[in-house]
Amino acid sequence: MQSTHPSVRKNFVLDTNVLLHDPQSMFCFQEHVVWIPVEVLEELDKFKSENTTRGANAREVHRKLNERFPTADQMHQGVPLENGGSLRVCVNPTLHYSSGDWKKSAASPRADAAHALFPDLSRVDNRILLTAAHLADSEPTRAILVTKDINLQLKARALGLDAQDYK
């Protein structure tokens, strides 16, 4: 992914399907911040035992993340990448699991709008969408959801979030 203005740092939020499509994708955003929503880790876990390319890619992503994040602090604070960017894992503070159900707790304008339009938080895509919305509201620079899922791109755009396909 090329940046048109290298001085403007962006936040790219990667969906699971991007990492399964290209396990190197997390390193392709130059000087920008790449966010992996914690839900992506759980989704990757579903595929790791498959004897397929998708399973091999899930295992490769897990290995790369394990190498980059030897401590919890590094996951939350982020680690620098060779390309000048950084890699972080996002645990969305506006979401929590209680009594067998996902709930949205903290207020974030775009996350509130996302939850109003897409209230089923048992769907991982909706939680990833709320994480992108939370980052768009809480980070000082632009947040972009990167996904190969056209429906998720459309949901993001309906909320006024930037979304793009990974190519």
Side-chain angles (χ1 to χ4, degrees), residues 7 33 35 46 49 52 54 98 100 106 117 149 152 157 166:
S7 62
V33 180
W35 292 88
K46 292 181 203 173
S49 61
T52 62
R54 182 171 64 178
S98 174
L117 285 174
D149 181 338
L152 190 54
R157 290 184 194 130
Y166 176 78

Side-chain angles (χ1 to χ4, degrees), residues 15-16 39-47 124-125 128:
D15 190 8
T16 311
E39 288 83 5
V40 168
L41 301 177
E42 187 166 353
E43 278 200 313
L44 288 169
D45 195 48
K46 292 181 203 173
F47 301 113
V124 176
D125 279 356
I128 291 171

Side-chain angles (χ1 to χ4, degrees), residues 24-66:
Q24 298 294 323
S25 61
M26 66 186 104
F27 308 117
C28 296
F29 292 87
Q30 289 149 16
E31 72 276 2
H32 304 292
V33 180
V34 175
W35 292 88
I36 310 291
V38 73
E39 288 83 5
V40 168
L41 301 177
E42 187 166 353
E43 278 200 313
L44 288 169
D45 195 48
K46 292 181 203 173
F47 301 113
K48 72 179 183 189
S49 61
E50 289 182 5
N51 194 16
T52 62
T53 300
R54 182 171 64 178
N57 287 352
R59 292 186 297 276
E60 183 179 344
V61 170
H62 276 140
R63 281 190 301 275
K64 289 181 182 317
L65 292 174
N66 191 50

Side-chain angles (χ1 to χ4, degrees), residues 70-81:
T71 69
D73 283 343
Q74 288 171 314
M75 289 182 93
H76 298 290
Q77 299 301 318
V79 294
L81 298 174

Side-chain angles (χ1 to χ4, degrees), residues 9-11 13 33 35 76 88-94 106-112 129-144 161:
R9 198 163 196 178
K10 298 174 190 157
N11 294 285
V13 182
V33 180
W35 292 88
H76 298 290
R88 297 180 70 174
V89 171
C90 184
V91 177
N92 186 341
T94 69
S108 164
R110 288 186 193 155
D112 288 345
L129 185 62
L130 260 68
T131 297
H134 164 71
L135 289 169
D137 287 340
S138 64
E139 290 296 311
T141 58
R142 186 171 160 206
I144 302 159
L161 294 171

Side-chain angles (χ1 to χ4, degrees), residues 86-108:
S86 64
L87 182 64
R88 297 180 70 174
V89 171
C90 184
V91 177
N92 186 341
T94 69
L95 295 172
H96 71 278
Y97 190 77
S98 174
S99 303
D101 206 8
W102 281 97
K103 298 182 181 22
K104 190 181 130 347
S105 56
S108 164

